[in-house]
Amino acid sequence: MQQSQPTVEPTARVSLNVEELRRDFPILTRTMRGKPFIYLDNGATALKPQSVIDEEVRYYTELSANIHRGVYEFSEEASECYDRTRGIVARFVNAQSEREIVFTKSATESSNLIAYGWAMKNIKAGDEICISEIEHHANFVPWQALAERLGATLRMIPMNPTDASLDISDLDRLINDRTRLVGITAMSNVTGYMPPVERILARARAVGAVTVVDGAQWVSHATVDVQKLDADFLIFSAHKMCGPTGVGVLYGRESLLNEMDPFLFGGDMVLRVRKEKTVFRKAPEKFEAGTPNIAGVMAFGKAVEYLQNVGMEAIHEHEQDLLRYVVERASEIDGLVSYGPADLSTRGGIFSFNVGDAHPHDTGNILDEDGIAVRTGLHCAHPLMQALGIPGTVRASFYLYNTRAEVDRLIESIHRVRRIFS
Amino acid sequence: MSLEEDLYKEIILENYRSKKNRSRMDDADLASEGANPSCGDDVELFVKLDGDRVVAVTYDGIGCSICCASANLLCEAMKGKTLTEAMTIIGEYRKMLLEDETPHFSEDLADLEAMQGVKHYPVRIKCALLAWNTVRDMFETPASGG
Ligand SMILES: Cc1ncc(COP(=O)(O)O)c(C=O)c1O
């Protein structure tokens, strides 16, 4: 298993050795449409380093056993590897205990687990749920559906249409004594904007509301400390942090998790099943019914270790550099409009834009011809687009392996869009 | 094969920018909406009939260049045709994109051939068909229009 581990530099202001890191990602040697492959769709999912791919393969070639069941060696080892990831993830987000980490299949399943396991039991008609207008559908639709079903009121922190930031001037009215749950994204998947989550959570705590932070975009780019954040729940997905698809995380305060109802019922989540009554296990097992994505969870552990080795601070610095660079280079393009606050320190490595009267789909098509992968369209954030009054955007989203040279290629390709649509 | 030759020909870009048929019709005999949720294309089509003859077709909404250009071409192509003639043109257009057949459009419809290059870009075919399928559905079941 050859794999070059990135070296950790001891100083605070570290910079990445990107050329060396890139060798860890085998897909980066491919071409797309006959051009060197430039991957700028990290907001959708991140590329996987060899160590993650190897671990997924290792499970099937060397272990292939179910967990928490067998008495034989391979099953024991598989169980150990699976459980070890829980510890790795707990330390990564600085949870108080491993028991606060529940494995799901995605961030989407995590928010639904909260909706079914906590909210269904604790929210009544007349209560209020507060989210924001910039949420991804994963942290929007479950609450809207739940509010409808329970007769609760759904409130939304509005977006400033000028720069797609949140307008929190009316926070005290939007989050009030009737508010039972507050859901807020820590980083917008459309603009990279990071709302003032501490302010919003502080207000939620003041009225005794339970808090859900959507970290699907944020956790892969930031140093996360759930104890400092002091949210009740944090949801995120492995695949956006160099891990495999099919694994998500629900971090939850242990006491809350134990109070919650299970969401999926079946094997593995029970202590004792009698014909009269079943006793469930405690969290997190209570929420992990059935055979989980064992290979995926094991590989996810490798992904987190990979990120830790590179260093979250260094990743953040690197993305800030790319963001500043793309914003500067894009300012030379006539008719390019980008979205998100001008203060780049409030944003992660996402650059969402439109070029002249070219529809995002057209721009994406032309970039694709040049070997550049971006996302186009509504980005699962229809309410945000509605508030901006646009038919979608082109989104370039960066990660640790992207380079300034790739930004240059992006800019060149945008010039081509300009030429075609001039 | 290149984008400029196949997809972004002058004639397609002209039809994309044209506002001529881009409007809502208050007194439409048929109206229907078509959407491609994956890319956000969302157009509404309006048809004015005189007996079984199409007097005018207009469209409104948002869409990419291929979607809007094909909608504009459709509006032009339908004008003055009987419903039977219109269905034949629609069938011919669909075959051009879906079955790789060389189209046989009459001279006044030659502009439609500009859309041929779209078939080299599979993900864009649905953009080129959105307005056309919406109108076809209305003509097949005119009673459901409004
Ligand atoms: C901000 C945000 N929240 C939630 C999700 C949902 O993640 P998943 O599709 O992995 O469930 C995404 C994914 O695009 C996201 O960007």
Side-chain angles (χ1 to χ4, degrees):
Chain A
M1 235 175 283
Q2 35 79 274
Q3 161 206 343
S4 58
Q5 280 294 343
T7 45
V8 189
E9 299 194 22
T11 48
R13 278 191 93 75
V14 281
S15 65
L16 301 186
N17 186 344
V18 177
E19 282 319 313
E20 200 178 309
L21 286 178
R22 288 175 68 86
R23 277 184 236 125
D24 298 332
F25 294 81
I27 200 172
L28 287 174
T29 61
R30 293 201 63 189
T31 55
M32 188 167 82
R33 309 272 180 218
K35 311 269 170 54
F37 176 49
I38 296 188
Y39 189 68
L40 301 179
D41 196 17
N42 295 286
T45 195
L47 304 180
K48 321 306 173 203
Q50 192 64 51
S51 59
V52 168
I53 300 165
D54 286 343
E55 185 69 357
E56 182 108 12
V57 171
R58 185 178 79 86
Y59 169 74
Y60 291 110
T61 45
E62 295 182 12
L63 301 172
S64 202
N66 214 324
I67 53 167
H68 305 148
R69 288 173 172 81
V71 290
Y72 51 95
E73 183 185 344
F74 292 174
S75 171
E76 248 172 38
E77 187 181 342
S79 306
E80 240 168 62
C81 292
Y82 180 91
D83 292 335
R84 192 183 312 136
T85 299
R86 208 188 295 284
I88 292 171
V89 175
R91 283 187 294 281
F92 185 66
V93 298
N94 196 31
Q96 272 183 346
S97 149
E98 294 182 13
R99 310 205 62 79
E100 299 184 317
I101 303 297
V102 179
F103 291 122
T104 60
K105 77 173 162 62
S106 59
T108 303
E109 187 179 288
S110 300
S111 64
N112 278 275
L113 200 165
I114 304 166
Y116 283 96
W118 186 86
M120 285 282 264
K121 188 156 97 172
N122 292 289
I123 296 183
K124 302 178 304 300
D127 286 348
E128 296 187 8
I129 296 171
C130 182
I131 56 174
S132 88
E133 232 172 37
I134 66 169
E135 298 306 313
H136 183 278
H137 293 168
N139 197 33
F140 188 104
V141 184
W143 308 124
Q144 188 179 47
L146 192 87
E148 253 172 50
R149 195 186 288 190
L150 300 176
T153 303
L154 184 67
R155 298 208 181 276
M156 275 169 232
I157 304 171
M159 188 191 81
N160 290 312
T162 45
D163 67 354
S165 66
L166 286 184
D167 172 3
I168 57 165
S169 56
D170 214 10
L171 205 58
D172 289 355
R173 192 183 59 83
L174 291 168
I175 301 175
N176 57 58
D177 292 341
R178 290 180 301 279
T179 310
R180 302 287 289 131
L181 183 141
V182 173
I184 182 73
T185 183
M187 176 170 157
S188 159
N189 63 309
V190 178
T191 61
Y193 166 63
M194 296 183 281
V197 169
E198 303 89 66
R199 283 277 309 275
I200 296 166
L201 293 189
R203 175 64 193 160
R205 277 193 294 274
V207 301
V210 156
T211 52
V212 179
V213 173
D214 178 356
Q217 291 292 333
W218 178 60
V219 173
S220 46
H221 307 283
T223 309
V224 176
D225 181 338
V226 288
Q227 298 187 49
K228 247 209 239 137
L229 182 69
D230 202 11
D232 295 309
F233 298 107
L234 174 71
I235 64 172
F236 51 103
S237 277
H239 70 90
K240 291 189 203 280
M241 29 198 310
C242 296
T245 58
V247 178
V249 175
L250 169 66
Y251 156 83
R253 238 187 257 288
E254 195 173 352
S255 54
L256 260 178
L257 287 179
N258 282 325
E259 278 168 30
M260 275 161 66
D261 284 341
F263 167 43
L264 297 168
F265 297 82
D268 250 12
M269 47 90 66
V270 292
L271 208 56
R272 188 182 313 114
V273 180
R274 296 286 177 270
K275 282 193 236 170
E276 307 70 41
K277 187 165 176 59
T278 290
V279 182
F280 305 120
R281 296 173 68 178
K282 296 214 301 195
E285 291 83 5
K286 180 168 73 174
F287 302 108
E288 295 178 8
T291 301
N293 184 350
I294 305 167
V297 167
M298 283 168 54
F300 179 36
K302 295 292 173 191
V304 173
E305 285 176 344
Y306 185 87
L307 292 178
Q308 279 173 321
N309 267 321
V310 178
M312 296 313 290
E313 194 58 38
I315 292 174
H316 175 75
E317 293 279 327
H318 179 66
E319 289 168 358
Q320 276 288 311
D321 177 68
L322 292 175
L323 180 65
R324 280 191 298 266
Y325 186 61
V326 75
V327 167
E328 179 197 315
R329 290 289 325 263
S331 67
E332 74 192 39
I333 302 173
D334 258 3
L336 182 143
V337 183
S338 70
Y339 307 93
D343 177 1
L344 301 185
S345 70
T346 66
R347 279 165 61 183
I350 291 182
F351 184 66
S352 234
F353 63 98
N354 274 311
V355 191
D357 69 349
H359 188 276
H361 203 169
D362 291 308
T363 304
N365 206 163
I366 296 168
L367 300 191
D368 162 59
E369 267 261 309
D370 290 338
I372 304 171
V374 292
R375 172 95 187 261
T376 66
L378 304 166
H379 315 301
C380 294
H382 294 184
L384 182 153
M385 294 298 171
Q386 211 180 346
L388 277 178
I390 53 173
T393 73
V394 184
R395 179 186 72 184
S397 47
F398 305 110
Y399 212 6
L400 48 119
Y401 33 69
N402 291 121
T403 64
R404 282 184 169 219
E406 291 179 322
V407 172
D408 291 334
R409 289 262 313 276
L410 170 72
I411 297 292
E412 251 172 65
S413 196
I414 297 175
H415 278 297
R416 187 173 171 210
V417 177
R418 283 295 295 159
R419 279 195 301 279
I420 293 176
F421 281 88
S422 62
Chain B
M1 190 177 108
S2 92
L3 273 180
E4 281 89 342
E5 282 163 30
D6 286 326
L7 225 43
Y8 299 120
K9 292 186 183 128
E10 204 40 51
I11 195 164
I12 292 185
L13 293 172
E14 270 168 26
N15 275 281
Y16 170 46
R17 295 198 189 98
S18 169
K19 299 277 176 274
K20 193 171 156 205
N21 299 299
R22 200 163 182 158
S23 59
R24 305 181 66 79
M25 214 188 268
D26 290 333
D27 57 345
D29 294 300
L30 302 172
S32 182
E33 204 175 345
N36 283 329
S38 64
C39 57
D41 290 348
D42 195 340
V43 292
E44 212 173 335
L45 281 121
F46 305 89
V47 181
K48 184 84 196 134
L49 294 172
D50 179 9
D52 79 335
R53 200 168 279 280
V54 179
V55 179
V57 181
T58 64
Y59 81 102
D60 190 30
I62 43 176
C64 65
S65 62
I66 304 304
C67 169
C68 294
S70 72
N72 195 59
L73 285 164
L74 167 86
C75 298
E76 290 294 315
M78 296 292 107
K79 237 172 260 174
K81 305 290 189 301
T82 64
L83 287 178
T84 317
E85 288 165 345
M87 287 303 271
T88 309
I89 298 166
I90 294 172
E92 192 77 3
Y93 177 86
R94 284 174 46 85
K95 265 197 269 178
M96 169 177 84
L97 290 173
L98 295 173
E99 292 167 31
D100 211 6
E101 270 189 32
T102 314
H104 303 286
F105 293 119
S106 60
E107 208 168 304
D108 61 317
L109 299 175
D111 279 2
L112 292 179
E113 287 168 24
M115 298 302 292
Q116 242 185 117
V118 174
K119 66 174 176 242
H120 299 307
Y121 295 86
V123 294
R124 305 304 292 274
I125 292 176
K126 65 181 190 315
C127 312
L129 287 177
L130 182 63
W132 289 73
N133 286 345
T134 307
V135 164
R136 183 194 56 166
D137 293 349
M138 284 196 277
F139 288 176
E140 272 174 355
T141 51
S144 69

